[in-house]
Amino acid sequence: MKAFVMREVGETAIIEKDRPEAGPMDAIIRPTEGLICTSDCHTVHGAIGEREDLTLGHEVVGVVEEVGEAVEEFEPGDRVAVGAITPDWNSAAAQRGHPSQSNEALGGWKFANVKDGTFAEYVHINDADGNLAHIPDGVTDHEAAYTADMLSTGFAGAENADIPMGGTVAVFAQGPVGLMATKGAELLGAGEIIAVETVPERQELARHYGATHVVDFAEVDPAEAIMEYTDDEGVDAAIEALGADETLQDCIRVVKPGGTVSNVGYHGDGEFRHIPRAEWGVGMSEIDIVNDLCPGGRVRISRLLKLLDEGRVDPTKMTTHEFEFDEIQEAFEMMETKDDGMIKPLIHF
Amino acid sequence: MKAFVMREVGETAIIEKDRPEAGPMDAIIRPTEGLICTSDCHTVHGAIGEREDLTLGHEVVGVVEEVGEAVEEFEPGDRVAVGAITPDWNSAAAQRGHPSQSNEALGGWKFANVKDGTFAEYVHINDADGNLAHIPDGVTDHEAAYTADMLSTGFAGAENADIPMGGTVAVFAQGPVGLMATKGAELLGAGEIIAVETVPERQELARHYGATHVVDFAEVDPAEAIMEYTDDEGVDAAIEALGADETLQDCIRVVKPGGTVSNVGYHGDGEFRHIPRAEWGVGMSEIDIVNDLCPGGRVRISRLLKLLDEGRVDPTKMTTHEFEFDEIQEAFEMMETKDDGMIKPLIHF
Amino acid sequence: MKAFVMREVGETAIIEKDRPEAGPMDAIIRPTEGLICTSDCHTVHGAIGEREDLTLGHEVVGVVEEVGEAVEEFEPGDRVAVGAITPDWNSAAAQRGHPSQSNEALGGWKFANVKDGTFAEYVHINDADGNLAHIPDGVTDHEAAYTADMLSTGFAGAENADIPMGGTVAVFAQGPVGLMATKGAELLGAGEIIAVETVPERQELARHYGATHVVDFAEVDPAEAIMEYTDDEGVDAAIEALGADETLQDCIRVVKPGGTVSNVGYHGDGEFRHIPRAEWGVGMSEIDIVNDLCPGGRVRISRLLKLLDEGRVDPTKMTTHEFEFDEIQEAFEMMETKDDGMIKPLIHF
Amino acid sequence: MKAFVMREVGETAIIEKDRPEAGPMDAIIRPTEGLICTSDCHTVHGAIGEREDLTLGHEVVGVVEEVGEAVEEFEPGDRVAVGAITPDWNSAAAQRGHPSQSNEALGGWKFANVKDGTFAEYVHINDADGNLAHIPDGVTDHEAAYTADMLSTGFAGAENADIPMGGTVAVFAQGPVGLMATKGAELLGAGEIIAVETVPERQELARHYGATHVVDFAEVDPAEAIMEYTDDEGVDAAIEALGADETLQDCIRVVKPGGTVSNVGYHGDGEFRHIPRAEWGVGMSEIDIVNDLCPGGRVRISRLLKLLDEGRVDPTKMTTHEFEFDEIQEAFEMMETKDDGMIKPLIHF
């Protein structure tokens, strides 16, 4: 079968690979639609170290091709979605309430990390009963592909932010995860959502997804602008959706005492992140700094699909470009540079 | 009346002051026993800026001398304890669940900060009904004085740490707050409590208060030692009770994915605290970093008094020295250097 | 001044009363718009016992006429909203996180219970700083009047229901509180909202406020219909917004193991409510049964006003009738019978 | 192999059965010590319906005899404990945070319910990696046997009760589960623990496990006595550990507004449980009524073993009698009547 792989750090290609096989609890799916994630680019640049001919990708939906003998909930032909994170559900971390951290830190992240990813003609799914979800008839494959990571991660940013109904939230950066954090804040009853972004198309999407005010960080200091906008009260919650030191610091600067900083940004470089001591209230401000790795699992993905089915969110507005699978390298290269205003490229298999 | 004050940064003295007066909701109490806190030393050294003739101290118990006309629960002659933090209970922050942050960051901290502290013959208490607590007959003034800050802050360190019953906790530093965090972890059902400390007397007290293992940071790297002791699993929760950058970093290093870092240390200097990026799981480890400013208020202090009344904790083991009020300057100077193994000095009024 | 009172059980009238006076922390407001609540009817029928010439009403907005000397946040002329529940913020219950239960069970409920209510030319507000909220320019008095009880109670029904994003909720009864519970569930990210109601106008409003499916209890057994609709899985949460034994039982019947029954109905009669033992999993189903008394206070009401200001909800669609203050008796009588499809009558002062 | 079974409702016997076999994720263990539970008696009396030759028992520890090919954490010869509840960890309910409700209500309860129980020479364990736990060297088999149900259920009663540090708790009934709820309340920092019990030996044990006050329900009305003892304030939390209607009602009667009723009693008969409407605050008291089915799983059991290993609790004081496996019928009959002051009988295999 064909697979789009990272040959080594810095080099990608479509190559031939053996088709994966399903163990007793596993499934093999045939992707229909997928999305490229900026973190695939990080991976190719070496963010998680060297890999050899590792299949890339973690956002797809597809059709079940084969299931292991112990799989009860799925059968060949089923239309299914699968999370970017596929936990081991009986691991100690999952029993502790942190399935994404199965077995080791970030251990639920298997695709394109510790095993082949999803950009191939056939994809192996561990614990199919625990990690697949049926796609309702009313949801397209295109829509469903967004549940794998963008909806799950972005919404988690809002869920963890402990937003009171009618409260005020700032969302730093309006890439696809930030846009879904903005939408998540709206879906969770925020009263005021301040989006920090400079790209006009992303500002516009942010407003579409629920932002009530936009701060352009290229024109003003965003922390100052947010404090001014909130009459120096600050916000109940700030969501970091970029993965940068400065942005994390700004989150701490704009949150009220007792508020929450919720990180969903992938902090890919640098030895440290910095907590500004004074704004942190010398360690006594009651500001929580929390974070998450994209929740996965059948229940999670099914609930996200339900929101799509009821039309509560339309993530396809983030799809700026479409490609066939054999054009994936071109899509991947555009994603690196965000050329032509790319937000999310859709891959047809 | 006599008051022990900070004349200016770096200088203390006992001076004469006017006796405070009670507004309609306030009370005036006459202290009987008090404790000096290391943070009084920080204050004199300028940690919160310049002050002129500000009365020091925030840990006392005493007898009610006078109450305002709207006070309903207390009357002259009552033996009472009072928290170091005396919130404005109808403030927005209190309604948001963060009374210690009344009106502004750390705004519930009034004693020896924005108004005269407790080392005087008479002490003003705002919102007496909300902030005083009756001392049960079975509790001595000496014991009760520990509720103001040491029990409330130390226990909060454990309460916020989200310790599962039978879980594993590391407590960094075994000063009085750290010792009470250790005891708090024990009182909340921790299975294993690792105390980090080098002073032998404090190590011994830590074991008395529930530590099941002690790591001497002068002999080993504490983070490495804790990881080794836990078979590289790490701890469910780590409590920072020192206020140092390195210690906070170590907390993040030893906590399991999905665990909690609970800060109760007062971080008095430096522009930043540092989050080690890799150990923080590049922002996706699901490690929460939380903190607290000593909870106050009638309900809180009453519950702590109940624990004393039932003999669940004996904080007086931390009292290494005793002084009369007119010797307070000597006590204060010893507290700065921790001379003679001082942990907590008790002041008799 | 004129006041609409309950002369005794079963009898109402507009009478002359002395204008109330403000203590140091209080305010007097002059109502502009008010709403009649079915619970006013219960009161007149004796639900809380005999009262003599007690002013009725607990849902109004108005203009500040006078403030006590200790009031800092409000001044005469301010447009303000006030919760139906006006807690004592320094009470033990408030410190425990339950301000509506100040001093005694339901003790925050003062209007038309332990003191004169809001249907008068001047209304006394205890703890003005804690209990009033400024109305933003973009919000009408008519809209703002809904924050006092309908929004706060209905939304609390949803907030307490612990609804997962994309989860399934059933809301029993679509009176004004039930409608706002439906809207609250939508605002909190429910995926599917099943409204139980038989009156066509209320069914239609339920759909407007977010119901995705309606069950007509006059045509089918609602518990059976909900189980069938959810493929025998049941719902994540059920909200009781009627106050009837049978409805509460149905909530328990339709909730999944591990789900939540959230009561906001006022259970006005009968000695007991009944928990069906088998459906409760013989006490081991992990179904929580929770409830709430309308949250009040400046922070709560301000957040609700923010949602109105951002256009997140339009409660005025529930206003079916309007009356002048001197017609209030007529409005009150219609409210008893819900004649002419009355949902909420608006009173102009 | 020999197994102690329920031949049909009302009849037990030791019979010969085929030894169970392990599927790929399962294990077979050879019990060493077990405990009889009152719920075994309920089962024989038909509480869960008819069963034919079903092996009884759900509380044992033992040695691993055989593991399936996919089992990674255990191997033959390991000393292991196992929860009474053995969830399917990838089930939807487990993903929702309720593993004990796997697949259906109470679905994690498999032993002596939907499959053979533990009173046999060999016992089948589903999902061995998820459900077994290694017994530390410092813990005896006798002690460890208590983790299966008594510690896990009793402690859960306290954990769910949301007890504030220093708060007040009432525990209704001091059978083994109630005693462990009492101990759990102590381990979680309760300030005052009121045990309701009439049997002198159980009263004494209750005091040993942390009760600070005992109410003898045979001499006084327990709800009245508790209200009087708490100066009419009531308790922060009440734990039901009997499974009776009257006791559950009393819990609601003695809990403060805003408090919690935590049920761990098995309510074996009657169509309904009754909520006293007035004491429930007409549905607006903010009293939560919660419950639990004995948490199981490797992490849970390991944490309980840690508490045993550190000597935080000695459950063996509840062992009043000891029997060999071939005397189990006699033990079982005594358990029905609680003859000779039986609390828990230990079975040696």
Side-chain angles (χ1 to χ4, degrees):
Chain A
M1 66 170 195
K2 286 189 200 163
F4 178 61
V5 305
M6 162 184 180
R7 300 226 63 157
E8 61 182 3
V9 167
E11 186 187 343
T12 59
I14 292 181
I15 66 169
E16 274 295 319
K17 276 209 168 183
D18 288 343
R19 191 178 136 169
E21 285 173 22
M25 302 182 67
D26 309 332
I28 305 299
I29 68 168
R30 206 165 17 86
T32 52
E33 305 279 0
L35 295 157
I36 297 179
C37 183
T38 301
S39 66
D40 292 315
C41 303
H42 293 324
T43 298
V44 172
H45 287 297
I48 58 173
E50 186 56 271
R51 296 290 191 282
E52 188 186 336
D53 288 346
L54 179 76
T55 305
L56 292 163
H58 54 264
E59 301 179 64
V60 284
V61 297
V63 174
V64 174
E65 178 74 15
E66 178 195 333
V67 297
E69 66 196 39
V71 174
E72 297 180 356
E73 306 282 342
F74 298 89
E75 57 183 16
D78 288 357
R79 280 177 74 218
V80 291
V82 57
I85 303 301
T86 52
D88 300 300
W89 288 99
N90 69 354
S91 65
Q95 292 192 14
R96 288 193 286 111
H98 294 277
S100 296
Q101 313 292 332
S102 304
N103 304 315
E104 62 179 324
L106 319 189
W109 174 19
K110 297 178 192 300
F111 289 134
N113 181 8
V114 297
K115 76 170 187 181
D116 278 329
T118 60
F119 293 152
E121 289 178 279
Y122 296 95
V123 178
H124 175 271
I125 311 293
N126 63 300
D127 196 347
D129 280 340
N131 288 318
L132 291 177
H134 287 106
I135 302 176
D137 291 345
V139 177
T140 66
D141 285 5
H142 180 183
E143 291 170 322
Y146 276 98
T147 61
D149 189 351
M150 299 301 100
L151 261 67
S152 193
T153 299
F155 287 4
E159 288 166 291
N160 294 337
D162 196 23
I163 305 168
M165 270 190 103
T168 301
V169 187
V171 183
F172 283 79
Q174 300 292 316
V177 166
L179 288 165
M180 288 304 97
T182 295
K183 182 67 194 178
E186 190 199 54
L187 281 171
L188 290 170
E192 199 153 38
I193 303 171
I194 304 166
V196 180
E197 180 57 66
T198 191
V199 179
E201 291 76 11
R202 293 177 182 227
Q203 290 182 343
E204 192 184 339
L205 271 177
R207 289 189 190 278
H208 167 77
Y209 285 126
T212 57
H213 183 70
V214 172
V215 167
D216 184 340
F217 64 81
E219 295 189 358
V220 292
D221 176 284
E224 278 177 23
I226 290 170
M227 291 311 290
E228 194 184 328
Y229 183 72
T230 60
D231 294 328
D232 277 324
E233 271 199 30
V235 294
D236 292 299
I239 302 174
E240 211 283 356
L242 182 63
D245 194 7
E246 198 177 349
T247 325
L248 184 67
Q249 290 181 37
D250 277 350
C251 285
I252 296 168
R253 288 191 179 101
V254 301
V255 161
K256 291 179 197 179
T260 302
V261 172
S262 171
N263 184 77
V264 280
Y266 174 179
H267 292 261
D269 50 42
E271 193 175 357
F272 293 106
R273 285 301 172 263
H274 292 77
I275 300 176
R277 187 187 61 86
E279 288 89 343
W280 189 46
V282 304
M284 309 193 295
S285 60
E286 302 175 21
I287 293 172
D288 292 350
I289 304 173
V290 305
N291 69 71
D292 212 331
L293 170 61
C294 177
R298 178 155 53 113
V299 168
R300 172 69 170 183
I301 303 299
S302 295
R303 286 175 181 157
L304 298 175
L305 289 166
K306 176 70 76 179
L307 290 168
L308 291 172
D309 199 22
E310 295 293 344
R312 298 295 305 274
V313 53
D314 176 7
T316 64
K317 288 189 182 304
M318 295 187 290
T319 303
T320 49
H321 299 73
E322 305 197 19
F323 299 85
E324 298 302 315
F325 178 56
D326 55 16
E327 304 165 321
I328 191 167
Q329 193 137 3
E330 181 190 345
F332 186 82
E333 280 157 19
M334 282 182 73
M335 193 64 178
E336 297 229 45
T337 56
K338 307 285 189 294
D339 244 31
D340 191 33
M342 178 174 278
I343 296 179
K344 276 302 246 197
L346 180 69
I347 310 299
H348 306 297
F349 283 82
Chain B
M1 66 169 194
K2 286 188 200 164
F4 177 62
V5 305
M6 163 184 181
R7 300 227 62 162
E8 60 181 5
V9 167
E11 186 187 341
T12 60
I14 292 182
I15 66 169
E16 274 296 319
K17 276 209 169 182
D18 288 344
R19 191 178 136 169
E21 286 173 21
M25 301 183 67
D26 308 332
I28 305 299
I29 68 168
R30 203 163 20 84
T32 53
E33 304 280 359
L35 296 157
I36 297 179
C37 183
T38 301
S39 67
D40 292 315
C41 304
H42 292 324
T43 297
V44 172
H45 287 296
I48 58 173
E50 187 57 271
R51 296 290 191 281
E52 189 186 336
D53 289 346
L54 179 76
T55 306
L56 292 163
H58 54 264
E59 300 179 64
V60 285
V61 297
V63 174
V64 173
E65 179 73 16
E66 180 195 332
V67 297
E69 65 197 39
V71 173
E72 297 180 356
E73 305 283 342
F74 299 90
E75 57 184 15
D78 287 357
R79 281 177 71 218
V80 291
V82 58
I85 303 302
T86 52
D88 301 300
W89 289 99
N90 68 354
S91 64
Q95 292 192 15
R96 287 193 286 112
H98 294 278
S100 296
Q101 313 292 331
S102 306
N103 304 314
E104 62 179 325
L106 320 189
W109 174 18
K110 298 177 190 301
F111 289 136
N113 182 8
V114 296
K115 76 171 187 179
D116 278 330
T118 60
F119 293 152
E121 289 178 281
Y122 296 95
V123 178
H124 175 271
I125 311 295
N126 63 299
D127 195 348
D129 280 340
N131 288 318
L132 292 177
H134 287 107
I135 302 176
D137 290 345
V139 176
T140 66
D141 285 7
H142 181 183
E143 291 169 322
Y146 276 98
T147 61
D149 189 351
M150 299 300 101
L151 261 67
S152 193
T153 299
F155 287 4
E159 288 165 292
N160 295 338
D162 195 22
I163 305 168
M165 271 189 102
T168 301
V169 186
V171 183
F172 283 79
Q174 299 293 316
V177 166
L179 288 165
M180 288 304 96
T182 295
K183 183 68 194 178
E186 190 200 54
L187 282 171
L188 290 172
E192 198 153 38
I193 303 171
I194 304 167
V196 180
E197 180 57 66
T198 190
V199 179
E201 291 78 10
R202 292 176 182 226
Q203 290 182 344
E204 193 184 338
L205 272 176
R207 288 188 190 279
H208 166 77
Y209 286 125
T212 56
H213 184 68
V214 172
V215 167
D216 185 341
F217 64 82
E219 294 189 358
V220 292
D221 176 284
E224 280 177 23
I226 290 169
M227 291 311 289
E228 192 183 330
Y229 183 73
T230 59
D231 294 328
D232 277 324
E233 271 200 29
V235 294
D236 292 298
I239 302 175
E240 211 284 356
L242 183 63
D245 193 7
E246 197 178 349
T247 325
L248 184 67
Q249 290 181 37
D250 276 350
C251 284
I252 295 167
R253 286 189 180 103
V254 300
V255 161
K256 290 178 199 179
T260 302
V261 172
S262 171
N263 184 77
V264 281
Y266 174 179
H267 292 261
D269 50 42
E271 193 176 356
F272 294 106
R273 286 300 172 264
H274 292 75
I275 300 176
R277 188 187 60 87
E279 289 89 343
W280 189 45
V282 304
M284 310 194 293
S285 60
E286 302 175 21
I287 292 173
D288 292 350
I289 304 173
V290 305
N291 69 71
D292 213 330
L293 170 62
C294 177
R298 178 155 52 113
V299 168
R300 173 67 170 184
I301 303 299
S302 296
R303 286 176 181 157
L304 298 175
L305 290 165
K306 176 71 76 180
L307 289 169
L308 291 171
D309 200 21
E310 295 292 345
R312 298 294 305 272
V313 53
D314 177 7
T316 65
K317 287 189 183 303
M318 294 188 291
T319 304
T320 49
H321 299 74
E322 305 197 17
F323 299 85
E324 298 303 314
F325 178 56
D326 55 16
E327 303 165 322
I328 191 168
Q329 193 137 5
E330 181 190 345
F332 186 83
E333 282 158 16
M334 282 182 73
M335 194 63 179
E336 299 228 44
T337 56
K338 307 286 188 294
D339 244 31
D340 192 34
M342 178 173 278
I343 295 178
K344 274 304 246 196
L346 180 69
I347 310 298
H348 307 297
F349 283 82
Chain C
M1 67 169 194
K2 286 190 200 161
F4 177 61
V5 306
M6 163 184 180
R7 300 227 63 159
E8 60 182 5
V9 167
E11 185 186 342
T12 59
I14 292 181
I15 67 170
E16 274 296 317
K17 276 208 169 183
D18 288 344
R19 189 178 138 169
E21 286 174 20
M25 300 182 67
D26 308 332
I28 304 300
I29 68 167
R30 205 164 18 85
T32 52
E33 304 281 359
L35 296 157
I36 298 180
C37 182
T38 301
S39 66
D40 293 315
C41 303
H42 292 324
T43 297
V44 172
H45 288 297
I48 58 173
E50 187 57 272
R51 296 289 191 282
E52 189 185 338
D53 289 346
L54 179 76
T55 305
L56 291 163
H58 53 265
E59 301 180 64
V60 285
V61 297
V63 174
V64 173
E65 178 73 17
E66 179 194 332
V67 297
E69 65 195 41
V71 174
E72 297 180 355
E73 305 283 342
F74 298 90
E75 57 183 16
D78 287 357
R79 280 176 74 218
V80 291
V82 58
I85 302 302
T86 52
D88 300 300
W89 288 99
N90 69 355
S91 65
Q95 293 192 15
R96 288 192 287 109
H98 294 277
S100 296
Q101 313 292 330
S102 305
N103 305 314
E104 61 178 327
L106 319 190
W109 174 19
K110 299 178 191 300
F111 289 134
N113 181 8
V114 298
K115 76 170 187 181
D116 279 330
T118 59
F119 293 152
E121 289 178 280
Y122 296 95
V123 178
H124 175 271
I125 311 295
N126 64 298
D127 196 347
D129 280 340
N131 288 318
L132 291 177
H134 287 105
I135 302 176
D137 291 344
V139 177
T140 66
D141 286 6
H142 181 182
E143 291 170 320
Y146 276 98
T147 62
D149 189 351
M150 299 301 101
L151 261 68
S152 192
T153 299
F155 287 5
E159 288 166 291
N160 295 337
D162 196 23
I163 305 169
M165 271 190 102
T168 302
V169 187
V171 184
F172 282 80
Q174 300 292 316
V177 166
L179 288 166
M180 288 304 96
T182 295
K183 183 67 194 178
E186 190 200 54
L187 281 171
L188 291 171
E192 198 153 37
I193 303 171
I194 304 166
V196 180
E197 180 57 66
T198 191
V199 178
E201 291 77 9
R202 293 177 182 225
Q203 291 182 343
E204 193 184 338
L205 271 176
R207 289 189 191 278
H208 166 78
Y209 286 125
T212 56
H213 183 69
V214 173
V215 168
D216 185 341
F217 65 82
E219 294 189 359
V220 292
D221 175 284
E224 279 177 24
I226 290 169
M227 291 311 291
E228 193 184 329
Y229 184 72
T230 59
D231 294 329
D232 277 323
E233 271 200 28
V235 294
D236 293 299
I239 303 175
E240 211 284 356
L242 183 62
D245 194 6
E246 198 178 348
T247 326
L248 183 67
Q249 290 181 38
D250 277 351
C251 284
I252 296 167
R253 287 191 180 101
V254 301
V255 161
K256 290 179 198 178
T260 302
V261 173
S262 171
N263 184 77
V264 280
Y266 174 179
H267 292 261
D269 50 42
E271 193 175 356
F272 294 106
R273 285 300 172 265
H274 293 77
I275 300 175
R277 187 186 62 87
E279 288 89 344
W280 189 45
V282 304
M284 310 193 294
S285 59
E286 303 176 20
I287 292 173
D288 292 350
I289 304 173
V290 305
N291 69 71
D292 213 331
L293 170 60
C294 177
R298 177 155 53 113
V299 168
R300 172 69 171 182
I301 302 299
S302 295
R303 286 176 182 156
L304 298 175
L305 289 165
K306 175 70 76 179
L307 289 168
L308 292 172
D309 199 22
E310 296 293 345
R312 298 294 306 273
V313 53
D314 176 7
T316 65
K317 288 189 184 302
M318 295 188 290
T319 303
T320 49
H321 299 74
E322 305 197 18
F323 299 85
E324 298 303 314
F325 178 55
D326 55 16
E327 303 165 321
I328 191 167
Q329 195 137 2
E330 180 189 345
F332 186 82
E333 281 158 18
M334 283 182 72
M335 193 64 178
E336 298 228 45
T337 55
K338 307 285 189 295
D339 244 31
D340 192 34
M342 178 174 277
I343 295 178
K344 277 301 248 195
L346 180 69
I347 310 299
H348 307 297
F349 283 82
Chain D
M1 66 171 193
K2 287 189 200 163
F4 178 60
V5 305
M6 163 184 181
R7 301 227 62 159
E8 60 182 3
V9 167
E11 186 187 341
T12 60
I14 293 182
I15 66 169
E16 274 295 318
K17 276 208 168 183
D18 288 344
R19 191 178 136 171
E21 286 173 21
M25 300 183 67
D26 308 332
I28 304 300
I29 69 167
R30 205 164 17 86
T32 53
E33 305 279 0
L35 296 157
I36 297 180
C37 182
T38 301
S39 66
D40 293 315
C41 303
H42 292 325
T43 298
V44 172
H45 287 298
I48 57 173
E50 187 56 271
R51 296 289 191 283
E52 189 186 336
D53 289 346
L54 179 76
T55 305
L56 292 163
H58 52 265
E59 302 180 63
V60 285
V61 297
V63 174
V64 173
E65 178 73 16
E66 179 195 333
V67 297
E69 65 196 41
V71 174
E72 297 181 355
E73 305 283 341
F74 299 90
E75 57 183 16
D78 288 356
R79 281 178 72 218
V80 291
V82 58
I85 302 302
T86 51
D88 300 300
W89 289 98
N90 68 355
S91 65
Q95 292 192 14
R96 287 193 287 111
H98 294 278
S100 296
Q101 314 292 332
S102 306
N103 304 316
E104 61 179 326
L106 319 189
W109 174 19
K110 298 178 191 300
F111 288 135
N113 181 8
V114 298
K115 75 171 188 181
D116 279 330
T118 60
F119 294 153
E121 289 179 280
Y122 296 94
V123 177
H124 175 271
I125 311 294
N126 64 298
D127 195 348
D129 280 339
N131 288 318
L132 291 176
H134 287 106
I135 303 177
D137 291 344
V139 177
T140 65
D141 286 6
H142 181 183
E143 291 170 321
Y146 276 98
T147 61
D149 189 351
M150 299 300 100
L151 262 68
S152 193
T153 299
F155 287 4
E159 288 166 291
N160 294 337
D162 195 23
I163 305 168
M165 271 191 102
T168 302
V169 186
V171 184
F172 283 79
Q174 300 292 316
V177 166
L179 288 165
M180 288 304 96
T182 295
K183 183 67 194 178
E186 190 199 53
L187 281 171
L188 290 172
E192 199 152 38
I193 303 171
I194 304 166
V196 180
E197 181 57 65
T198 191
V199 179
E201 291 76 10
R202 292 176 182 226
Q203 290 182 343
E204 193 184 338
L205 272 177
R207 289 189 191 278
H208 166 77
Y209 286 126
T212 56
H213 184 69
V214 172
V215 167
D216 184 341
F217 64 82
E219 294 189 358
V220 292
D221 175 284
E224 280 177 24
I226 290 169
M227 291 312 290
E228 193 184 328
Y229 184 72
T230 59
D231 294 329
D232 277 323
E233 270 199 29
V235 295
D236 292 299
I239 302 175
E240 212 283 357
L242 184 62
D245 194 7
E246 197 177 347
T247 325
L248 183 67
Q249 290 182 37
D250 277 351
C251 285
I252 296 167
R253 287 191 179 102
V254 301
V255 161
K256 291 178 198 179
T260 302
V261 172
S262 171
N263 183 78
V264 280
Y266 174 0
H267 292 261
D269 51 42
E271 193 176 355
F272 294 106
R273 286 300 172 265
H274 293 76
I275 301 176
R277 188 187 61 87
E279 289 89 342
W280 189 45
V282 304
M284 310 193 295
S285 60
E286 302 176 20
I287 292 172
D288 292 350
I289 304 173
V290 305
N291 69 71
D292 213 330
L293 170 61
C294 177
R298 177 154 54 113
V299 168
R300 172 68 171 184
I301 302 300
S302 295
R303 286 176 182 157
L304 298 174
L305 289 166
K306 175 71 75 178
L307 289 169
L308 291 172
D309 199 23
E310 295 293 344
R312 298 294 306 273
V313 54
D314 177 7
T316 65
K317 286 189 184 304
M318 295 188 290
T319 303
T320 49
H321 299 74
E322 305 197 16
F323 299 85
E324 299 302 315
F325 178 56
D326 55 17
E327 304 165 320
I328 191 167
Q329 194 137 4
E330 180 189 346
F332 187 81
E333 281 158 18
M334 283 183 72
M335 194 64 179
E336 298 228 44
T337 56
K338 307 285 189 295
D339 244 32
D340 192 33
M342 178 174 278
I343 295 177
K344 274 303 245 196
L346 180 70
I347 310 299
H348 307 298
F349 283 81

